[in-house]
Amino acid sequence: MPLYVYEIILPDGSEGEQFEVLQSMSEASLTVHPDTGEPVRRVFGTPNAPRAWTDSQGKAKLSDKSLASKGFTKYVKSGDGSYEKAAGSGPKKLKRK
């Protein structure tokens, strides 16, 4: 559920105190403060969006230790056409028949 920001509308129409309310997206916007009954309006807040993905984050997520901790097994191709285990559980070597 999203966290919405509301502000109290003062009698002169200016902005008052802001507060946050956890609401379902299907619920209507509040028109009065839930505790005081003062008129309110929903305001735009700063979005909490994920940051940009960096190469170092990608390398960390695909590291042998990270893959093994998530239950994956990683094999690396060796020169003779077989694959050797680099991380995780499973056979130490896979060979093509």
Side-chain angles (χ1 to χ4, degrees):
M1 278 201 273
L3 187 64
Y4 291 105
V5 179
Y6 288 90
E7 69 184 9
I8 296 172
I9 304 169
L10 298 176
D12 63 358
S14 63
E15 304 169 355
E17 177 187 347
Q18 290 189 348
F19 61 97
E20 297 174 336
V21 177
L22 190 63
Q23 285 183 290
S24 171
M25 291 177 71
S26 61
E27 288 182 50
S29 298
L30 296 179
T31 55
V32 295
H33 192 285
D35 297 331
T36 64
E38 296 175 285
V40 297
R41 64 178 157 228
R42 189 185 291 177
V43 295
F44 289 102
T46 307
N48 188 6
R51 294 170 293 202
W53 185 264
T54 63
D55 289 339
S56 62
Q57 288 173 321
K59 287 178 184 176
K61 296 285 185 190
L62 295 176
S63 70
D64 293 347
K65 184 178 179 181
S66 177
L67 290 172
S69 71
K70 292 176 177 51
F72 290 98
T73 303
K74 178 181 173 183
Y75 288 94
V76 179
K77 190 173 184 178
S78 59
D80 61 352
S82 62
Y83 292 84
E84 295 179 1
K85 180 174 66 173
S89 60
K92 291 185 181 195
K93 201 169 195 180
L94 297 176
K95 190 165 185 167
R96 199 170 204 193
K97 292 183 181 183

